[in-house]
Amino acid sequence: MSKHYKVAIIGAGAAGIGMGCLLSQFNWNDFIILEQETIGNSFLHWPEYTRFITPSFTTNGFGFPDLNAIVPDTSPAYTFGKEHLSGKEYATYLKGVATYYELPIKEHSQVTLIKSQPTFYVIKTDQTTYTANYVVMATGEYGYPHMADIQGNHLARHYSDIQNIDQLQGHHFNVIGGNESAIDLATNLYLNGKEVNIYTDHTGLDSHVPDPSINLAPITKEHWQRANRYRQNIPVYTNHQLKFIDKTQETYRLTFTNGEQITSATPPLLATGFEPIIKRQFYHLFDFMPNGKPLLTAQDESTCAKNIFVIGPSVQHNQVILCYIYKFRQRFLPIIETIAQREKYPLNPKIISWYQQNAMAMNELDPCCVNCHC
Amino acid sequence: MSKHYKVAIIGAGAAGIGMGCLLSQFNWNDFIILEQETIGNSFLHWPEYTRFITPSFTTNGFGFPDLNAIVPDTSPAYTFGKEHLSGKEYATYLKGVATYYELPIKEHSQVTLIKSQPTFYVIKTDQTTYTANYVVMATGEYGYPHMADIQGNHLARHYSDIQNIDQLQGHHFNVIGGNESAIDLATNLYLNGKEVNIYTDHTGLDSHVPDPSINLAPITKEHWQRANRYRQNIPVYTNHQLKFIDKTQETYRLTFTNGEQITSATPPLLATGFEPIIKRQFYHLFDFMPNGKPLLTAQDESTCAKNIFVIGPSVQHNQVILCYIYKFRQRFLPIIETIAQREKYPLNPKIISWYQQNAMAMNELDPCCVNCHC
């Protein structure tokens, strides 16, 4: 017989662990977290040189915990004494938090199928089968590189595959993309003595929108400035959307939608972002918006599968893009409140008000919330 | 006749400008800001190499504006595209905000005397005389180096006097102090090829308290790590409180309270922090705690002069130390609410709730608010 839980959380990353910690604080222990590899798996697979773009600082206690904290009384800045953690460091932080809250996590349990039954879901992993009344998808995006529209993309290398700049053979590289990962990769290559061109449809470098989900993070801009001071400016070709890659002998040819073509001795490096993993693995449980994000109710529930919720960077409501930890951690509580209401489970009001005091309880989705006059 | 205002704010730094912006948003325009030099004066006098230790990031819109913002819809990270601003950059940010909110600021107006009358205060500046019913002291600490207990301190140089490392003649330096400014100065000297010893009673390097008002900021720890990787570790001599400095010919002699003595060819560099400017200039209006901070009511009002308030880094209530912008900006609103209540001035509830939503309305002073499990 398969083991049954009230709630199954899929993924033990920042979102899944954060959600589990809050359930645990409510003493609502009838849940399981299923993780395909180990805690913080995506972070462990980050390139060596990648760092958090959100700076950690122990603001805890004054209404807004450390930007990268997933529980109010924790702080990666406190744990590591630094602002911009590596993926490995953040995975260590997540493990520490999971241990402190004694979370029930099944590692090495890859979910292969989620099937709807009248009042519950069947969740098959490569190890065993579970059932649960509620499923919270916290699978993130990192494992699913966005490269769908580029023909011949098997000839390219994606940002997430480049563990180390030194692995790359060649001197001159073409980076495809104009946002965080593209600028990160290009500046790292450049500062390591390589020649780089950037080809992109548009770039956050030109943005004047204050929301860092659209604009670039300050640290990325700083790295960009530093790289460009280092030698000469890195060329950025906007209005260049890559359409087609082919290869003849040792030469890669890139064709853009504007008709232009370039050739290169090195494969193009795609820093074109990521897509929600649920779109690859659990597409039957969701409708998707044209931008690839799941269509969700105001409660972050799937519009086509009741009692299935999404938490993490893929959640977007109109202009509210929750692709940062300090944003999506504010939705742990609303989802739990929705489930608790349906289950008539009493939630400790002290915990609720503690999360509210720490700006981790975003109940209203203000349609236009990031403004800066100066 | 002297010009009368309901409220006079002394100082056009982060605290004074932030306070003025909130009064302005309430359309409560019967106030003046008196600034001895120009807007952001202290920041303009920072050493060239000094940077903010709190990282700016455009978290605006999600419950906690940029750590260094003084009004919710502004962000130094947005203005400058960087995390750690210089003093000059921050002064530019303050000027931008003051212009946007059209604040009534009198620059080059040094307050020389504040005198109590039965229902108002007389405020003399070197230019003219004002009267006001309420006085908000926003004079900060930067201009008042803490060095009182060290005899012969005229032979030393203070952190705030060292505009540029290159100015310093000599190769081997003794830095006195163990917190932010001491570590900042020592690492900068060291990375510029100088030899440095640190002498201090105790140091934030050893602290395990999460509150950054006691512990060191992450960026300071990172600089410390980097400096110590660079050559060999910078020696730190704790339990060395400097008591006495004297000089014979070209040799400085430092005597510590533990009886030890050292000699040096260079003057000791005091990075022993700052004291509230009100303690030097307006001591008659306040009682002071043993640590030099003003004794204040729960409304941040002087315990010995009614209608005189303090805002900024000198405010401390038990364990709540408001010496960061992201902390003290939360007290603009409570002070204005106190004054409004006394004056029966109606405050727009929309502005109040906007400040509340942005964690800029700390009404309760939780006696122990900075905890981190991990």
Side-chain angles (χ1 to χ4, degrees):
Chain A
M1 222 189 92
S2 57
K3 178 95 174 115
H4 181 80
Y5 293 95
K6 187 61 75 187
V7 179
I9 297 169
I10 317 298
I17 301 278
M19 188 75 162
C21 290
L22 184 49
L23 281 168
S24 174
Q25 288 169 86
F26 284 125
N27 284 316
W28 201 354
N29 298 316
D30 188 6
F31 74 97
I32 185 83
I33 301 177
L34 301 173
E35 165 55 47
Q36 63 172 336
E37 294 191 28
T38 57
I39 293 173
N41 182 43
S42 295
F43 297 103
L44 291 170
H45 284 85
W46 275 14
E48 287 285 337
Y49 57 84
T50 301
R51 295 290 177 274
F52 268 70
I53 53 177
T54 34
S56 275
F57 192 91
T58 46
T59 39
N60 304 57
F62 283 81
F64 205 77
D66 186 318
L67 292 196
N68 301 308
I70 52 164
V71 190
D73 270 2
T74 67
S75 160
Y78 177 64
T79 315
F80 289 96
K82 54 167 73 172
E83 291 187 344
H84 293 278
L85 268 60
S86 69
K88 284 190 178 59
E89 286 165 336
Y90 196 74
T92 301
Y93 159 76
L94 291 179
K95 275 178 210 164
V97 174
T99 303
Y100 184 86
Y101 285 94
E102 300 179 4
L103 299 189
I105 303 177
K106 287 275 173 208
E107 295 185 315
H108 306 292
S109 295
Q110 173 144 31
V111 176
T112 53
L113 184 77
I114 298 178
K115 208 177 145 188
S116 172
Q117 296 293 329
T119 59
F120 60 90
Y121 287 92
V122 176
I123 301 159
K124 288 198 179 199
T125 73
D126 49 2
Q127 302 293 323
T128 181
T129 298
Y130 302 91
T131 58
N133 300 101
Y134 299 87
V135 181
V136 179
M137 308 301 302
T139 42
E141 306 199 338
Y142 189 75
Y144 190 14
H146 173 74
M147 48 165 79
D149 296 340
I150 303 165
Q151 288 176 57
N153 60 39
H154 62 282
L155 295 169
R157 293 197 64 179
H158 190 270
Y159 175 80
S160 57
D161 292 331
I162 305 162
Q163 267 302 309
N164 203 308
I165 296 284
D166 302 333
Q167 290 175 350
L168 291 172
Q169 293 191 332
H171 180 64
H172 195 117
F173 294 94
N174 298 304
V175 171
I176 310 301
N179 289 311
E180 295 293 351
S181 58
I183 304 302
D184 183 39
L185 178 56
T187 52
N188 271 290
L189 285 165
Y190 201 62
L191 291 169
N192 276 276
K194 311 288 190 184
E195 293 296 329
V196 189
N197 286 333
I198 292 177
Y199 293 91
T200 182
D201 188 20
H202 61 280
T203 169
L205 289 168
D206 300 332
S207 172
H208 295 290
V209 174
D211 188 345
S213 296
I214 297 166
N215 204 320
L216 297 177
I219 191 92
T220 310
K221 290 181 184 167
E222 285 180 56
H223 288 167
W224 178 252
Q225 297 290 340
R226 191 179 311 152
N228 286 332
R229 272 199 306 272
Y230 171 57
R231 284 184 290 168
Q232 54 188 3
N233 284 1
I234 299 174
V236 182
Y237 300 95
T238 52
N239 299 314
H240 280 71
Q241 190 177 349
L242 185 58
K243 182 182 166 188
F244 191 77
I245 309 167
D246 60 354
K247 189 183 176 190
T248 52
Q249 290 168 339
E250 294 308 308
T251 303
Y252 295 85
R253 188 174 60 173
L254 313 188
T255 306
F256 298 92
T257 52
N258 65 6
E260 278 186 42
Q261 287 190 328
I262 59 164
T263 56
S264 171
T266 60
L269 306 178
L270 302 187
T272 40
F274 299 90
E275 292 201 82
I277 286 184
I278 50 172
K279 198 177 158 195
R280 183 178 61 185
Q281 280 194 280
F282 308 107
Y283 56 90
H284 62 291
L285 297 170
F286 297 93
D287 288 323
F288 290 91
M289 298 192 282
N291 70 358
K293 306 292 180 189
L295 201 59
L296 300 171
T297 70
Q299 286 72 41
D300 293 344
E301 189 173 10
S302 166
T303 51
C304 63
K306 195 168 168 66
N307 297 337
I308 298 230
F309 297 85
V310 180
I311 191 106
S314 307
V315 178
Q316 183 175 344
H317 293 277
N318 298 317
Q319 287 175 55
V320 182
I321 309 168
L322 300 180
C323 75
Y324 278 94
I325 291 167
Y326 74 88
K327 296 180 174 187
F328 70 64
R329 70 185 181 188
Q330 307 196 14
R331 298 291 287 174
F332 300 153
L333 181 59
I335 291 178
I336 292 175
E337 285 176 321
T338 300
I339 299 175
Q341 203 174 23
R342 291 180 192 171
E343 292 295 313
K344 303 194 184 359
Y345 184 91
L347 297 177
N348 182 343
K350 278 192 188 164
I351 303 291
I352 293 176
S353 82
W354 190 48
Y355 267 60
Q356 285 168 341
Q357 283 159 18
N358 284 286
M360 283 178 68
M362 187 207 282
N363 282 303
E364 285 180 34
L365 297 157
D366 188 326
C368 181
C369 48
V370 189
N371 286 308
C372 286
H373 301 311
C374 42
Chain B
M1 223 188 92
S2 57
K3 178 96 175 116
H4 181 80
Y5 293 95
K6 187 60 75 187
V7 179
I9 298 169
I10 317 298
I17 300 278
M19 189 75 161
C21 289
L22 184 50
L23 281 168
S24 173
Q25 288 168 85
F26 283 125
N27 284 316
W28 201 354
N29 298 317
D30 188 6
F31 74 97
I32 186 83
I33 301 177
L34 301 173
E35 165 55 47
Q36 64 172 334
E37 294 192 28
T38 56
I39 293 173
N41 181 43
S42 294
F43 297 103
L44 291 170
H45 284 86
W46 275 14
E48 287 284 337
Y49 57 85
T50 302
R51 294 291 176 273
F52 268 70
I53 53 177
T54 34
S56 275
F57 192 91
T58 46
T59 39
N60 304 57
F62 283 81
F64 205 78
D66 186 319
L67 292 196
N68 301 308
I70 53 164
V71 189
D73 270 1
T74 67
S75 161
Y78 177 64
T79 315
F80 289 96
K82 55 167 72 173
E83 291 188 344
H84 294 278
L85 267 61
S86 69
K88 285 190 177 59
E89 286 165 335
Y90 196 73
T92 301
Y93 159 76
L94 291 179
K95 275 177 209 162
V97 174
T99 304
Y100 184 87
Y101 284 95
E102 300 178 4
L103 299 188
I105 303 176
K106 287 273 174 211
E107 294 185 316
H108 306 292
S109 296
Q110 173 145 30
V111 175
T112 53
L113 184 77
I114 298 178
K115 207 177 145 187
S116 172
Q117 296 292 330
T119 59
F120 60 90
Y121 287 92
V122 176
I123 301 159
K124 288 198 178 198
T125 73
D126 49 2
Q127 302 293 323
T128 180
T129 298
Y130 302 91
T131 58
N133 300 100
Y134 299 87
V135 181
V136 179
M137 308 301 301
T139 42
E141 306 199 337
Y142 189 75
Y144 190 14
H146 173 74
M147 48 165 78
D149 296 340
I150 303 165
Q151 288 176 57
N153 60 39
H154 62 281
L155 295 169
R157 294 197 64 179
H158 190 270
Y159 175 81
S160 57
D161 291 331
I162 305 162
Q163 266 302 309
N164 204 307
I165 295 284
D166 302 335
Q167 290 176 350
L168 291 172
Q169 292 192 333
H171 180 63
H172 195 118
F173 294 94
N174 298 305
V175 171
I176 311 300
N179 289 310
E180 295 295 352
S181 59
I183 304 302
D184 183 39
L185 178 56
T187 52
N188 272 290
L189 285 165
Y190 201 62
L191 292 170
N192 276 277
K194 311 288 190 184
E195 293 296 329
V196 189
N197 285 333
I198 293 177
Y199 293 91
T200 181
D201 188 20
H202 61 280
T203 169
L205 288 168
D206 299 333
S207 172
H208 295 290
V209 174
D211 188 346
S213 296
I214 297 166
N215 203 321
L216 297 177
I219 191 92
T220 309
K221 290 182 185 168
E222 285 180 57
H223 288 167
W224 178 251
Q225 297 290 339
R226 192 179 310 152
N228 285 333
R229 271 200 306 272
Y230 170 57
R231 284 184 290 168
Q232 54 189 4
N233 285 0
I234 298 174
V236 182
Y237 300 95
T238 53
N239 300 313
H240 280 70
Q241 191 177 349
L242 185 58
K243 182 182 166 188
F244 191 77
I245 309 167
D246 60 354
K247 189 183 176 189
T248 51
Q249 290 168 340
E250 294 309 308
T251 303
Y252 296 85
R253 188 174 59 171
L254 313 188
T255 306
F256 298 92
T257 52
N258 65 6
E260 279 186 42
Q261 287 190 327
I262 59 165
T263 55
S264 171
T266 59
L269 307 178
L270 302 187
T272 40
F274 299 90
E275 292 201 82
I277 285 183
I278 51 172
K279 198 177 158 194
R280 183 178 61 187
Q281 279 194 280
F282 308 108
Y283 57 89
H284 62 291
L285 297 171
F286 298 93
D287 288 322
F288 290 90
M289 298 192 282
N291 70 358
K293 305 292 179 189
L295 201 59
L296 300 171
T297 70
Q299 285 72 43
D300 293 345
E301 189 172 10
S302 166
T303 51
C304 63
K306 195 167 167 66
N307 297 336
I308 298 229
F309 297 85
V310 179
I311 191 107
S314 307
V315 178
Q316 183 174 344
H317 293 277
N318 298 317
Q319 287 175 56
V320 183
I321 309 168
L322 300 181
C323 75
Y324 279 94
I325 292 168
Y326 75 87
K327 296 179 173 187
F328 70 64
R329 70 185 181 188
Q330 307 195 14
R331 298 291 287 175
F332 300 153
L333 181 59
I335 291 177
I336 292 175
E337 285 175 321
T338 299
I339 298 175
Q341 202 174 23
R342 291 180 191 171
E343 292 296 313
K344 303 194 185 358
Y345 183 92
L347 298 177
N348 182 344
K350 278 191 189 165
I351 302 291
I352 293 176
S353 82
W354 190 49
Y355 267 59
Q356 285 168 341
Q357 284 159 18
N358 283 286
M360 284 178 67
M362 187 207 281
N363 282 304
E364 286 181 33
L365 296 157
D366 187 327
C368 180
C369 48
V370 189
N371 286 308
C372 286
H373 302 310
C374 42

